[in-house]
Amino acid sequence: MTSVTNRRLSLIPHRSSTSSSQHSTQSNTLISTHTPLLSIELDQDDKLTIRPNKVVRGVVKLKTTKTLYSSQIRIKFRGVESACVKVKEAGLDKVERIEKITTTYFDTETLVWGNEPSAFAINCWQSIEPGEHIYKFALKLPNVNFPPSVEDPTGFSIRYIWSAYLDGPAHHPGIKSPEIVTTFRPFLVAPVNTLWTFDDTIFSKKVTPLATLKVQLPAQVFCPDQSFEATIDIHTIPADTTVGSLGYKLRKCYSGRLPLLPSGTVHRLCKRDILQTMIPLHNQTGSHVHEAVTINLPSRLLSPSFKSHYVQVYYYLILMIQFDTGKGIKRTSSHIQAEVPIGIANLSHGYLVRVPELTSVQHYQMSREAPYFFDPALEEPPLDFGCPMPQLLPPSPPPSLDDPMGLATPPFDNDDLLPPPPAYFSLAHPQFIRKERKETTKRSSCLVKPNMFPELGEPYVIEPGDDDDGW
């Protein structure tokens, strides 16, 4: 979990001036002492990873040395995917612009202190005495697979952010806490292990065939911290060609995509090699190499393969092969890399019967369920929490002789009404009413001078007709 704070400019005192330095230090101390501090602390924040169907608890902390006046204190949790790139039109070298698109999966909030605002009246406010105040909260994530957290490629991200707000009286400015970004991991289960074989013909400079490659794997999808055996067979085609060395590495690829208006699409690709190992050649007979290799996947840096609105993550098992052709001083070497596609999940197939409600997990694009806050005094939210209550009518009386079909309207009697709904559905606590998820998308664009914002990389040149239809 990481903490994100807004950057602020600060004046640094001149080192040669002792008095001014002391005065600045004292003023900064006074400011930091008298400025109220609003923060969020999550349970198990040092190793918290949120998942579908999980309850997250925490507190909003307020430290103040003076009396504050506020109408309410809120906490907000939202999931945001953003893509930001630098582009320029073909033929216009002196004009660049930054394009950004942001999609919010959900944005839910609740009150931890204060009065619920009214649509037809200005909310009243109360005083908060000096000291440290703690306000508990609890949130339940739906049984929905949202995209996992990611920070690549450059300019692309998927984040799940917590923030707290102290609202001033009568719409006066308030205080915002530093944002807390938590890691989200969906439940993605590997399918049943199926033995499969990757076949390929390796060419030198895309013209001359060098060898045939066959890689046999025990499965198509693997999990972190898993070991498996791969069988590699290489048959060289030219008679004077042999395999000089062999190795493998695991490559993680991030592909970013940002559709532009009115046309055009920007693509960004980022590759990261997670592990790399050379393979000793024990079973080489002339033009044939046969090796059984044990591959140990790491437990970290392996987020599951997925595809979202603007980001796609996939993996390759890269075989690094050195071919030696000829003998003596006429001997030449060529280095070839063969890409074997594999998938990464975060749960093996056996967890289907171990994780409760795993088979009922929904994809976020097929569900309108959103995370929701509930009373932190409860262990779990009620099963029908926030669900619309059906309109219950009193039982109909038996038909009489004057009305054998029962068409007459029976007299209305207040005593026939059923009891009111439970207390947690009461309108006295509307912040605990479960709401439907609404996904929103915003675009922004601004002109910049060339060579500004180098962290976004080189600008993408938009050519006429440069467009695609998605992933």
Side-chain angles (χ1 to χ4, degrees), residues 257-330:
R257 170 184 172 272
L258 193 157
L260 303 175
L261 292 179
S263 63
T265 302
V266 178
H267 293 272
R268 283 278 187 259
L269 182 62
C270 174
K271 300 178 181 179
R272 299 188 185 278
D273 294 334
I274 298 176
L275 61 89
Q276 180 172 332
T277 304
M278 298 305 296
I279 303 172
L281 297 178
H282 300 297
N283 301 310
Q284 183 175 7
T285 306
S287 62
H288 179 215
V289 173
H290 175 84
E291 296 291 342
V293 183
T294 300
I295 299 176
N296 301 310
L297 296 181
S299 57
R300 302 183 61 185
L301 305 178
L302 290 185
S303 59
S305 307
F306 76 95
K307 179 172 61 177
S308 63
H309 290 300
Y310 317 117
V311 180
Q312 189 174 13
V313 174
Y314 52 95
Y315 293 83
Y316 285 112
L317 181 64
I318 307 293
L319 294 181
M320 304 174 294
I321 311 172
Q322 176 185 326
F323 292 97
D324 297 331
T325 303
K327 296 181 180 180
I329 62 175
K330 295 184 178 180

Side-chain angles (χ1 to χ4, degrees), residues 394-410:
S396 301
S400 61
L401 296 177
D402 297 333
D403 185 22
M405 301 299 294
L407 300 178
T409 303

Side-chain angles (χ1 to χ4, degrees), residues 186-436:
F187 286 137
L188 293 175
V189 182
V192 178
N193 289 348
T194 303
L195 186 69
W196 77 288
T197 302
F198 173 83
D199 292 290
D200 193 14
T201 300
I202 301 174
F203 291 85
S204 174
K205 299 180 180 180
K206 300 182 180 181
V207 177
T208 305
L210 283 179
T212 59
L213 173 66
K214 180 180 291 186
V215 182
Q216 192 173 63
L217 297 175
Q220 297 175 339
V221 180
F222 304 93
C223 297
D225 203 23
Q226 179 181 350
S227 298
F228 61 92
E229 186 176 276
T231 303
I232 304 173
D233 285 283
I234 303 175
H235 290 268
T236 57
I237 297 176
D240 60 344
T241 300
T242 59
V243 177
S245 64
L246 178 63
Y248 71 87
K249 57 185 174 182
L250 182 64
R251 175 169 293 174
K252 184 177 184 179
C253 300
Y254 303 85
S255 177
R257 170 184 172 272
L258 193 157
L260 303 175
L261 292 179
S263 63
T265 302
V266 178
H267 293 272
R268 283 278 187 259
L269 182 62
C270 174
K271 300 178 181 179
R272 299 188 185 278
D273 294 334
I274 298 176
L275 61 89
Q276 180 172 332
T277 304
M278 298 305 296
I279 303 172
L281 297 178
H282 300 297
N283 301 310
Q284 183 175 7
T285 306
S287 62
H288 179 215
V289 173
H290 175 84
E291 296 291 342
V293 183
T294 300
I295 299 176
N296 301 310
L297 296 181
S299 57
R300 302 183 61 185
L301 305 178
L302 290 185
S303 59
S305 307
F306 76 95
K307 179 172 61 177
S308 63
H309 290 300
Y310 317 117
V311 180
Q312 189 174 13
V313 174
Y314 52 95
Y315 293 83
Y316 285 112
L317 181 64
I318 307 293
L319 294 181
M320 304 174 294
I321 311 172
Q322 176 185 326
F323 292 97
D324 297 331
T325 303
K327 296 181 180 180
I329 62 175
K330 295 184 178 180
R331 179 180 177 180
T332 59
S333 299
S334 57
H335 299 269
I336 306 295
Q337 293 189 358
E339 298 179 339
V340 182
I342 63 171
I344 296 294
N346 52 14
L347 292 175
S348 62
H349 189 75
Y351 279 91
L352 280 177
V353 295
R354 300 181 189 177
V355 180
E357 302 182 23
L358 181 57
T359 56
S360 61
V361 173
Q362 303 179 65
H363 192 272
Y364 75 104
Q365 293 181 340
M366 304 299 294
S367 172
R368 290 298 178 186
E369 292 188 65
Y372 55 94
F373 291 93
F374 65 95
D375 189 350
L378 301 176
E379 291 293 330
E380 289 277 348
L383 295 179
D384 54 350
F385 173 74
C387 299
M389 298 296 292
Q391 186 177 2
L392 302 176
L393 299 177
S396 301
S400 61
L401 296 177
D402 297 333
D403 185 22
M405 301 299 294
L407 300 178
T409 303
F412 183 78
D413 189 353
N414 290 334
D415 295 336
D416 293 332
L417 292 178
L418 294 178
Y424 57 77
F425 190 76
S426 172
L427 293 179
H429 304 283
Q431 70 270 25
F432 288 146
I433 295 180
R434 193 170 176 179
K435 300 179 181 179
E436 185 180 74

